[in-house]
Amino acid sequence: MKKIFYLFVLFVSTQMFSQNIESLKTKANQAYKASAEMDFDKILELTYPKLFSIMPKESLKEIIKQTFEGNPEFKIKMIAVEPNFNFSEIKKIDGQTFCVIKHNNALEMVFTNKISDPNAVTDLFKSSMKADDVTYNAEKNSILIKLISTMIAVADDSTKNEWTFLNNDNDGQLMTLLFSEKIKKELGL
């Protein structure tokens, strides 16, 4: 009887994990597609809602739009690539569920004025964005940046236990505002 009980618990646990990882994969694809298509409303819909306690949703939307569309010095265009998601272990920490997702990402920055020192600019993006593949296109006066991005998937009471996402900021300030040191440490951030 004990053996049947343990098998049942193992089966239920496996089913719950499978459903959780499948829903995570679906949502991660939606988030990636929204970013690649620059669908700002969908991006915000899939964003971890506690971020909006730091910055109101409409303000964040304007900042994102200005970053991509409203800058007189350059335009940024996301390039759709095969994301090749790499999902970490799903972890439950202090009543929240997390997964760190690494994926391929690419963007092109087209500059209004001619870049005088392309090597300096590509080196700057390599270091600031931690990107190994940064190339200058003289004809388009653009920089193509290919990198591995990191998203943090979060499901908790504030999301009705549905997966939502945050992009991991390189300096960790956003993570510090939203999550405890314990969470950051357990996620390796």
Side-chain angles (χ1 to χ4, degrees):
M1 188 67 162
K2 250 184 179 176
K3 189 175 182 180
I4 292 172
F5 174 74
Y6 288 127
L7 287 173
F8 175 75
V9 169
L10 179 63
F11 174 77
V12 169
S13 297
T14 303
Q15 288 298 104
M16 287 174 57
F17 175 77
S18 175
Q19 289 172 348
N20 212 7
I21 193 69
E22 288 309 313
S23 67
L24 176 57
K25 287 178 180 180
T26 298
K27 287 281 188 143
N29 274 307
Q30 290 173 1
Y32 177 79
K33 183 179 177 187
S35 293
E37 294 175 354
M38 296 184 356
D39 182 344
F40 305 126
D41 291 323
K42 186 69 172 178
I43 291 168
L44 293 173
E45 177 186 315
L46 294 168
T47 296
Y48 183 54
K50 288 190 178 179
L51 177 62
F52 306 130
S53 66
I54 298 169
M55 178 175 290
K57 188 184 276 192
E58 284 306 311
S59 298
L60 184 58
K61 182 178 178 178
E62 279 307 307
I63 289 171
I64 294 170
K65 282 178 77 170
Q66 284 181 354
T67 300
F68 286 94
E69 299 173 349
N71 190 321
E73 296 172 15
F74 58 85
K75 299 282 185 218
I76 300 174
K77 178 183 175 193
M78 299 303 294
I79 308 295
V81 295
E82 184 60 44
N84 294 320
F85 293 113
N86 181 352
F87 297 88
S88 74
E89 173 187 349
I90 294 175
K91 294 184 177 187
K92 289 202 176 275
I93 308 166
D94 295 338
Q96 295 176 291
T97 307
F98 296 92
C99 183
V100 177
I101 306 166
K102 295 192 181 290
H103 64 90
N104 295 334
N105 212 354
L107 58 99
E108 180 182 45
M109 297 181 72
V110 180
F111 293 85
T112 307
N113 298 319
K114 187 75 175 158
I115 296 175
S116 60
D117 187 354
N119 289 332
V121 174
T122 57
D123 288 346
L124 173 70
F125 284 114
K126 283 179 182 179
S127 64
S128 67
M129 297 182 82
K130 297 179 180 154
D132 291 330
D133 190 351
V134 180
T135 55
Y136 174 67
N137 181 322
E139 186 177 308
K140 292 171 76 176
N141 194 41
S142 68
I143 302 282
L144 178 63
I145 304 166
K146 295 179 183 176
L147 68 155
I148 302 298
S149 292
T150 304
M151 289 191 300
I152 292 83
V154 186
D156 62 18
D157 290 341
S158 74
T159 70
K160 298 179 181 144
N161 289 312
E162 295 288 326
W163 290 111
T164 57
F165 302 92
L166 288 168
N167 286 323
N168 188 29
D169 55 331
N170 287 335
D171 59 11
Q173 290 180 347
L174 184 59
M175 296 298 117
T176 299
L177 292 171
L178 293 172
F179 303 114
S180 69
E181 285 300 316
K182 175 185 175 185
I183 289 171
K184 291 182 348 186
K185 183 177 180 181
E186 288 195 38
L187 295 178
L189 302 173

